Amino acid sequence: MMKRALWQGLLAGTAGAVVMTAGEKLEQHLTGRPDSHVPARVLERLTGMDERPGKQPLARNWAMHYGQAAVLGVLRSAMAQAGLRGPLSSAKFAVVRLTNDQLLENATGVGAPPQTWPRRELAVDLLHKAAYAFATGFVADRLAARDGAGPGQHHAALRPGRQSGVGPVPRADAFTR
């Protein structure tokens, strides 16, 4: 399962980044908002690279933007492989995506806590990260569905509907792929 989650997640996360970037470019065209170089600054601080204020490190920006999205896609793919699929799982993943960004940005001193941001800037960020999460989830769910039901889905099928008292699926039945 994890081997599939790895390659499928890298693909799904990259697809999500493409969708997020397209949305960002459209929004920037409509609002006039400039590019953010926060991803590059985070990468520079995490790796100890030299920072060059005033120079916009585009290659570093894209490396962090797409690299982070691809790596996080592996988590969403693992969710799908386990049976956590659909819009609710993508919404849960959106929180993970936002948390990851905030942790890295705040830990490196590149960013500030979102509650201190202008509301419009916060809304735009939430919208773009949600687009990433749902696009990543869509791809991850479709790829995982080709592999069949996940262990969690096997468990849920024991007694359909919301019921208590359902024990774990026997190990041999959990991983039927």
Side-chain angles (χ1 to χ4, degrees):
M1 179 174 95
M2 292 312 293
K3 286 181 184 177
R4 285 189 296 271
L6 178 62
W7 75 263
Q8 290 176 5
L10 293 172
L11 182 65
T14 300
V18 169
V19 169
M20 179 174 63
T21 303
E24 287 169 339
K25 294 303 176 189
L26 176 62
E27 173 265 319
Q28 288 175 311
H29 177 74
L30 296 173
T31 65
R33 185 177 63 86
D35 286 338
S36 167
H37 294 281
V38 168
R41 299 299 180 217
V42 169
L43 179 63
E44 290 168 344
R45 292 197 181 171
L46 286 173
T47 61
M49 292 181 197
D50 289 335
E51 294 180 50
R52 290 178 247 145
K55 182 171 171 37
Q56 302 304 337
L58 188 59
R60 293 175 184 181
N61 214 52
W62 288 118
M64 185 66 172
H65 180 76
Y66 280 98
Q68 182 180 9
V71 169
L72 282 173
V74 175
L75 174 61
R76 182 59 179 86
S77 181
M79 292 170 66
Q81 286 291 334
L84 300 168
R85 300 177 187 163
L88 182 57
S89 292
S90 291
K92 292 174 186 178
F93 180 63
V95 173
V96 171
R97 177 64 166 105
L98 289 160
T99 302
N100 180 76
D101 271 8
Q102 288 308 306
L103 175 61
L104 293 176
E105 292 170 15
N106 282 269
T108 58
V110 172
Q115 62 269 24
T116 66
W117 298 7
R119 295 297 165 237
R120 182 173 177 208
E121 192 175 320
L122 179 59
V124 167
D125 192 55
L126 291 172
L127 176 68
H128 293 313
K129 296 309 186 313
Y132 161 80
F134 281 87
T136 300
F138 179 83
V139 174
D141 289 350
R142 295 310 168 280
L143 292 171
R146 297 182 334 172
D147 298 326
Q153 292 164 314
H154 288 291
H155 187 185
L158 287 177
R159 289 179 55 192
R162 293 177 182 243
Q163 299 187 26
S164 62
V166 179
V169 176
R171 185 184 305 249
D173 297 336
F175 303 100
T176 59
R177 298 181 257 168

